[in-house]
Amino acid sequence: MVKVFFQDIGVPTKNRAELVDITQDVEGTVRGSEIRNGLCIIHSVHSTTAIIVNENEAGLAKDILKKVQQEYEKGADWLHDKVDDNADAHLASSFIGSTRMFPVREGRSERGTWQNIFLLESDGPRPRRIVVEVLGMRSHEHRASEQARANFSRILTLHS
Amino acid sequence: MVKVFFQDIGVPTKNRAELVDITQDVEGTVRGSEIRNGLCIIHSVHSTTAIIVNENEAGLAKDILKKVQQEYEKGADWLHDKVDDNADAHLASSFIGSTRMFPVREGRSERGTWQNIFLLESDGPRPRRIVVEVLGMRSHEHRASEQARANFSRILTLHS
Amino acid sequence: MVKVFFQDIGVPTKNRAELVDITQDVEGTVRGSEIRNGLCIIHSVHSTTAIIVNENEAGLAKDILKKVQQEYEKGADWLHDKVDDNADAHLASSFIGSTRMFPVREGRSERGTWQNIFLLESDGPRPRRIVVEVLGMRSHEHRASEQARANFSRILTLHS
């Protein structure tokens, strides 16, 4: 049986620019979905934030924020600053993107060891909402595709 | 019942660099699909365009185009310019990406208020094709996952 | 019937920075999945690589690598370099992204003529693993959605 599962994550950010690790919330949603094979989408519904996937190391977090601020410089004669003083944040969101995704396989997200999931805040502090969606098959349908995978692996072996 | 729905959007661009708002076309496809819960993929099949999600404000659109042109500078000694004089456009597409996606929930795309969808043209004018795909469950299957979501929300409340 | 299909691609990279074309591996997985309509996710499970989609032209590949190295400069006083001397590679991965995706339609990925798929290595040489996932409907379910598409196209024609 196919299932679609949603969970909203509320993140009250505390600074203008900030990285907030939401990995545990995403993982909890994947487990709670009881979906065994499918995919997980992490989507921020804002135009001045982004989603970033990388290692959670304190120095690197500062490097990422520094790079964002160098790259999308605040107050650099942007036209949008006349409307709302946050063109830099809109640019960061536009180019980096508000969405990341992972395969879900055997009930676990296919994240590498150093692939944590972060909300990049560029115009805080604000209350932010991230939609986590898990879409896929529950356990019992999986046997068929497991069989198909076994068949396919055998074919690959024969050809390689 | 699971359904997969496709709609091609044709965009005849008018300038070398341009942002074209395709939000209404994407939303029309989501509605036309009659899919209630799933996801929507917006994919440009070209290597000199990208898809960007952000606010539709005239000044910001100019800021985005200016940033693209600063970042992926035309004629900056790129080797590909010897083959075809558009390396800057290939670079913009490579780094920004040709694809964006949204969750579809209760029949609506999970777009924030200021998340419009744009084709970024970097090597126009040309006729461009964008594939919009909606994949998910039609209405009547949703009741089961709604029940599951209610259960899960209750569990979350108990634990938090 | 809905199916989820996975294939791991192992890529032993040979240089610190490198683009490896994995298009044929991805296409082989799409064909092997026997999925007719759905989507294909290409996900690198590492935090110092990215996935890029663009033309396979030798000069352009060098332009892309040059741009990555200019943009995410090695040794530019990054704090993470005190922990592990590869902050530049983490930054490239964070901003470019470790994942790309394509619609799968009528058994084929919706790639444009010049949209090849590359692993971008930024901290090699290392053995790398890329997860390719295909999720969607096998052939016989497609007739229903084909009918729905035909209906929708007719509706569009009436309204436009």
Side-chain angles (χ1 to χ4, degrees):
Chain A
M1 201 192 90
V2 172
K3 188 176 170 181
V4 184
F5 189 88
F6 295 97
Q7 184 71 33
D8 284 343
I9 300 176
V11 180
T13 61
K14 298 191 171 63
N15 301 290
R16 179 154 206 271
E18 190 177 353
L19 278 171
V20 182
D21 192 323
I22 57 170
T23 311
Q24 290 312 311
D25 302 275
V26 173
E27 289 296 335
T29 305
V30 171
R31 280 194 304 275
S33 76
E34 295 179 355
I35 286 169
R36 191 165 170 101
N37 285 284
L39 55 87
C40 174
I41 302 171
I42 303 106
H43 173 66
S44 169
V45 299
H46 308 284
S47 57
T48 52
T49 66
I51 304 292
I52 276 184
V53 169
N54 219 272
E55 186 178 350
N56 187 342
E57 190 272 312
L60 182 60
K62 287 176 187 161
D63 293 337
I64 290 172
L65 290 175
K66 178 181 165 188
K67 178 68 188 169
V68 170
Q69 287 160 26
Q70 284 175 349
E71 185 68 28
Y72 307 102
E73 195 188 346
K74 184 160 171 55
D77 271 333
W78 305 116
L79 295 173
H80 184 68
D81 284 346
K82 295 174 187 170
V83 177
D84 194 4
D85 195 25
N86 60 359
D88 59 316
H90 283 282
L91 291 167
S93 177
S94 297
F95 290 91
I96 301 170
S98 310
T99 316
R100 291 290 188 266
M101 68 184 311
F102 289 96
V104 172
R105 189 177 187 173
E106 305 295 333
R108 301 179 59 249
S109 72
E110 270 278 11
R111 287 191 305 113
T113 315
W114 294 284
Q115 286 187 316
N116 275 36
I117 306 161
F118 297 89
L119 172 69
L120 170 69
E121 170 66 84
S122 295
D123 192 33
R126 288 175 192 268
R128 299 298 196 172
R129 181 169 72 94
I130 297 154
V131 180
V132 182
E133 176 178 14
V134 193
L135 180 155
M137 289 198 295
R138 300 190 65 168
S139 304
H140 71 280
E141 287 87 9
H142 184 53
R143 287 194 290 268
S145 69
E146 219 159 8
Q147 186 56 45
R149 190 159 67 247
N151 289 343
F152 183 48
S153 299
R154 198 170 59 230
I155 292 165
L156 277 185
T157 307
L158 290 170
H159 283 244
S160 66
Chain B
M1 202 191 92
V2 173
K3 188 176 170 181
V4 184
F5 188 88
F6 294 97
Q7 184 71 33
D8 285 343
I9 300 177
V11 180
T13 61
K14 299 191 169 65
N15 302 290
R16 179 154 206 270
E18 190 177 355
L19 278 169
V20 183
D21 192 323
I22 57 170
T23 310
Q24 290 313 311
D25 303 274
V26 173
E27 289 295 335
T29 304
V30 171
R31 279 193 305 275
S33 75
E34 295 179 355
I35 286 168
R36 191 164 172 102
N37 285 284
L39 55 87
C40 174
I41 302 170
I42 304 107
H43 174 66
S44 170
V45 299
H46 309 283
S47 57
T48 51
T49 66
I51 304 291
I52 277 185
V53 169
N54 219 271
E55 187 178 349
N56 187 342
E57 190 273 312
L60 183 61
K62 286 176 188 159
D63 293 336
I64 290 172
L65 291 175
K66 178 182 164 187
K67 178 69 188 168
V68 170
Q69 287 161 25
Q70 284 175 349
E71 185 68 30
Y72 307 103
E73 196 188 346
K74 184 161 171 56
D77 270 333
W78 306 116
L79 296 173
H80 184 68
D81 284 347
K82 294 174 187 168
V83 177
D84 195 2
D85 193 26
N86 60 359
D88 59 317
H90 284 282
L91 291 167
S93 178
S94 297
F95 289 91
I96 301 170
S98 310
T99 316
R100 291 290 188 266
M101 69 184 310
F102 290 95
V104 172
R105 188 177 187 174
E106 305 295 333
R108 301 180 59 248
S109 71
E110 269 278 12
R111 286 191 305 114
T113 314
W114 295 283
Q115 287 187 316
N116 275 34
I117 306 161
F118 296 90
L119 172 69
L120 170 69
E121 170 65 84
S122 295
D123 192 34
R126 289 175 191 269
R128 300 299 196 172
R129 180 169 71 94
I130 297 155
V131 180
V132 182
E133 175 178 15
V134 193
L135 180 155
M137 290 198 294
R138 300 190 64 167
S139 303
H140 70 280
E141 286 88 9
H142 184 52
R143 287 193 289 266
S145 69
E146 219 159 7
Q147 185 57 44
R149 188 159 70 247
N151 290 342
F152 183 47
S153 299
R154 198 171 58 230
I155 293 166
L156 277 184
T157 307
L158 289 170
H159 283 244
S160 65
Chain C
M1 202 191 90
V2 172
K3 187 176 171 181
V4 185
F5 188 88
F6 294 97
Q7 184 70 34
D8 284 343
I9 300 176
V11 180
T13 61
K14 300 192 169 64
N15 301 291
R16 178 152 207 270
E18 190 177 353
L19 277 170
V20 183
D21 192 323
I22 58 170
T23 311
Q24 290 312 312
D25 302 274
V26 173
E27 290 294 336
T29 304
V30 171
R31 280 193 304 273
S33 75
E34 295 180 356
I35 286 168
R36 191 162 170 103
N37 285 283
L39 55 88
C40 175
I41 302 170
I42 304 108
H43 174 66
S44 169
V45 299
H46 309 283
S47 57
T48 51
T49 66
I51 303 293
I52 277 184
V53 169
N54 219 273
E55 187 178 348
N56 188 342
E57 189 273 314
L60 182 60
K62 287 176 188 160
D63 293 335
I64 290 173
L65 290 175
K66 177 181 165 188
K67 178 68 189 167
V68 170
Q69 287 160 25
Q70 285 175 347
E71 186 67 30
Y72 308 102
E73 196 188 344
K74 184 159 170 57
D77 270 333
W78 305 116
L79 296 173
H80 185 68
D81 284 347
K82 295 174 187 170
V83 177
D84 195 4
D85 194 27
N86 60 359
D88 59 317
H90 284 282
L91 291 167
S93 177
S94 297
F95 289 91
I96 302 169
S98 310
T99 317
R100 290 291 188 266
M101 68 185 310
F102 289 95
V104 172
R105 190 179 187 172
E106 305 294 333
R108 301 180 60 247
S109 71
E110 269 278 12
R111 287 191 305 113
T113 315
W114 295 283
Q115 286 187 316
N116 275 35
I117 307 162
F118 297 89
L119 172 69
L120 170 69
E121 170 65 84
S122 295
D123 192 33
R126 289 175 191 269
R128 299 299 195 172
R129 179 168 71 94
I130 297 154
V131 180
V132 182
E133 176 178 13
V134 192
L135 180 155
M137 290 197 295
R138 301 191 63 168
S139 304
H140 71 280
E141 286 87 9
H142 183 53
R143 287 193 289 267
S145 71
E146 220 158 7
Q147 185 58 44
R149 191 160 65 248
N151 289 342
F152 183 47
S153 299
R154 198 171 58 230
I155 292 165
L156 276 185
T157 307
L158 289 171
H159 282 244
S160 64

